[in-house]
Amino acid sequence: MTDPAFKAIALELIKTGKISEAVEAVQNLENERSAIRVYESVVESLVQQGQQQQALEFVEQIPQLNHKGAALCALAMVYHKQGDSQKAFELLKPIADWYQKVDDQTVVDRYMTRRDQLMVKLAAAYARGGNSKRALEIANKISVPQSRNAELAKIAEHIARESGDYEQALEIVNQIQISKLQYSTGKFLALMNISTIIARDSGDFEWAMKVADEIKGRESEIAAYRKPALEEIATLAAKTGNEAQTMAVVEKISQMYHLRDRPLSLNNVAFHLVENGHLKSAMKVVEMIQSPEQKKHVWDAIASNYARSGKTEKAIEFAQKNQTKTDHDSALLLVASHLSEAGKSDEALKIATQVPASSRTNSSIKVMVLERIALELLRKGDASKGLMALDEAVSVALESNDGIFPTLGIIPLACEPLTAAQQKEADKDIVTPLKKSFTPEESRVAKRLMKAIPLKSPHPM
């Protein structure tokens, strides 16, 4: 039977008051690790169901001390989660006296003895409750270095994350032995995590960098731990708008270019720099990005940023950095859309009409962009240019034969434009009255528009 099956049997026996039989049922498991997992799972379920007394009675009857201790640790963890750490710590007190009595020769989990296994669970329970000092005392009693180092790393990260005492956290990390590869990776992983915690929670990017620089070793270890740490620190610095610190970290990363084990993933850094208006720095980062596809997205973001600011020439310059003709045209259409939003509808219309509808994707984008431009112009009362944009959108849709339907132009064509007062309002989604009459040009474009939209369109209008 599986662990869940034994758990179900135990819970059913407890429900009928047969607690000792429940313990015996779990003891029938041949695998000791499975028995411990079921004991832990049973007490967790009982407390979560409000049956604390039954959980304690169940634990009391567990004969083996390491099993009993593991179950108590699991019980304490539930109390921690419920916010009752005082009750949790009371439960943990007797366990410290048991570990000396626990058989420390039998290996129950690859290399971990029964005694070490109990110490690991006890240290985790104290750390979870915020008693890092006690957790550290217990962790240092763990005899096997692999287990001890793992717990030290967890405690250090917990202190950094929960209390913000980074100096204490780093002192604990420095207790981790480095005599074999697995020990060094444990220490380096802890340094990587703590460096990003410092950057994220304190904003002290310089200190975070220094912690990341403590990751020293083989080239593969630097690639696996220091470089990701620096990349995350750079991303966080860029996100907060700290341009100087961002570029300081990026400079460190650029010096690691000879490391071939991981590609540089700096596109998020570049995007955040663009979002915060640090475009020159973003351009420097883009040159470090190896993937042409990732570069394309950042060039598009920079182009769009310039377009939103109404800087047409700069927007076009960056849109044209895309290598393929299709990407180049898509970027230009994106620029046209943002220029229209920035109030530069004339320039937007000029760019959009010049981009060829060379593929189904570009045809769809071009129709959408022209409709947006038409909507902006018609709503503002510029009927001549608005109709020109909408007429071009209809032409592209009719020529594509790909089921592209220019439905966005219906409402602005049929309704009165916004008044001067309405145009000044923040909310432009104002419903205006239907027009009472149409000019000959409006009627012509409307007929073409209806021709481009089938009566049973597969897409909702």
Side-chain angles (χ1 to χ4, degrees), residues 3-31:
D3 292 2
F6 275 95
K7 174 186 174 183
I9 291 169
L11 288 172
E12 192 60 37
L13 287 167
I14 292 168
K15 190 186 292 185
T16 58
K18 299 176 180 178
I19 294 177
S20 59
E21 286 92 334
V23 173
E24 288 174 13
V26 180
Q27 279 184 281
N28 288 330
L29 277 162
E30 293 180 6
N31 185 294

Side-chain angles (χ1 to χ4, degrees), residues 359-388:
S359 66
R360 188 186 190 285
T361 301
N362 267 8
S363 294
S364 299
I365 296 173
K366 184 169 182 176
V367 168
M368 179 183 69
V369 170
L370 285 166
E371 283 186 294
R372 285 180 179 173
I373 295 170
L375 187 148
E376 288 286 329
L377 290 165
L378 291 170
R379 296 277 279 171
K380 290 177 181 177
D382 192 340
S384 175
K385 289 174 183 173
L387 290 171
M388 187 189 305

Side-chain angles (χ1 to χ4, degrees), residues 158-284:
H158 180 83
I159 289 171
R161 186 171 53 251
E162 300 299 329
S163 71
D165 190 342
Y166 307 127
E167 289 186 0
Q168 186 189 8
L170 293 170
E171 283 176 15
I172 294 170
V173 170
N174 287 329
Q175 293 179 31
I176 297 174
Q177 299 174 2
I178 300 184
S179 57
K180 291 183 180 179
L181 179 62
Q182 63 266 37
Y183 302 168
S184 63
T185 56
K187 179 173 183 175
F188 293 158
L189 178 60
L191 287 170
M192 180 182 82
N193 291 336
I194 291 171
S195 70
T196 57
I197 290 169
I198 291 171
R200 184 193 66 214
D201 295 347
S202 75
D204 192 336
F205 302 110
E206 190 172 349
W207 191 4
M209 277 193 287
K210 287 178 180 177
V211 173
D213 284 342
E214 290 299 311
I215 302 172
K216 299 169 183 176
R218 304 178 186 183
E219 189 173 287
S220 59
E221 291 173 318
I222 291 173
Y225 299 102
R226 191 199 298 173
K227 186 149 57 148
L230 289 172
E231 288 172 356
E232 181 62 18
I233 293 166
T235 301
L236 291 165
K239 192 173 183 179
T240 60
N242 193 324
E243 183 182 18
Q245 288 287 2
T246 301
M247 296 313 292
V249 186
V250 168
E251 176 60 28
K252 278 185 173 289
I253 296 171
S254 69
Q255 294 168 5
M256 304 167 71
Y257 234 94
H258 64 286
L259 295 168
R260 298 178 297 278
D261 302 282
R262 271 177 61 120
L264 289 172
S265 50
L266 290 171
N267 48 315
N268 285 336
V269 176
F271 276 121
H272 288 310
L273 286 168
V274 172
E275 287 169 1
N276 286 297
H278 303 307
L279 302 185
K280 289 184 179 179
S281 291
M283 294 172 213
K284 292 179 183 177

Side-chain angles (χ1 to χ4, degrees), residues 305-461:
N305 189 284
Y306 276 124
R308 289 191 193 95
S309 303
K311 298 176 181 177
T312 307
E313 290 183 8
K314 295 294 288 184
I316 292 172
E317 176 190 336
F318 283 94
Q320 290 174 334
K321 285 184 179 288
N322 286 294
Q323 294 180 355
T324 68
K325 183 70 169 70
T326 302
D327 289 343
H328 170 272
D329 291 343
S330 296
L332 282 174
L333 288 169
L334 190 63
V335 165
S337 178
H338 290 309
L339 282 171
S340 177
E341 291 172 11
K344 294 207 166 188
S345 298
D346 288 355
E347 293 174 33
L349 181 58
K350 182 179 178 181
I351 292 170
T353 52
Q354 290 176 352
V355 174
S358 54
S359 66
R360 188 186 190 285
T361 301
N362 267 8
S363 294
S364 299
I365 296 173
K366 184 169 182 176
V367 168
M368 179 183 69
V369 170
L370 285 166
E371 283 186 294
R372 285 180 179 173
I373 295 170
L375 187 148
E376 288 286 329
L377 290 165
L378 291 170
R379 296 277 279 171
K380 290 177 181 177
D382 192 340
S384 175
K385 289 174 183 173
L387 290 171
M388 187 189 305
L390 186 55
D391 199 31
E392 178 68 13
V394 171
S395 295
V396 175
L398 289 170
E399 290 168 9
S400 70
N401 295 317
D402 282 324
I404 300 168
F405 308 114
T407 56
L408 293 177
I410 296 174
I411 300 299
L413 180 59
C415 295
E416 294 287 352
L418 297 171
T419 64
Q422 288 171 333
Q423 289 183 38
K424 293 178 181 178
E425 292 184 24
D427 181 13
K428 295 293 193 298
D429 295 327
I430 302 167
V431 178
T432 55
L434 290 171
K435 291 178 181 175
K436 295 178 181 178
S437 62
F438 295 89
T439 65
E441 182 62 9
E442 288 173 337
S443 298
R444 183 188 70 78
V445 174
K447 288 176 183 177
R448 292 193 76 220
L449 182 59
M450 291 301 101
K451 186 178 177 182
I453 304 172
L455 291 175
K456 292 185 178 181
S457 168
H459 303 290
M461 292 184 187

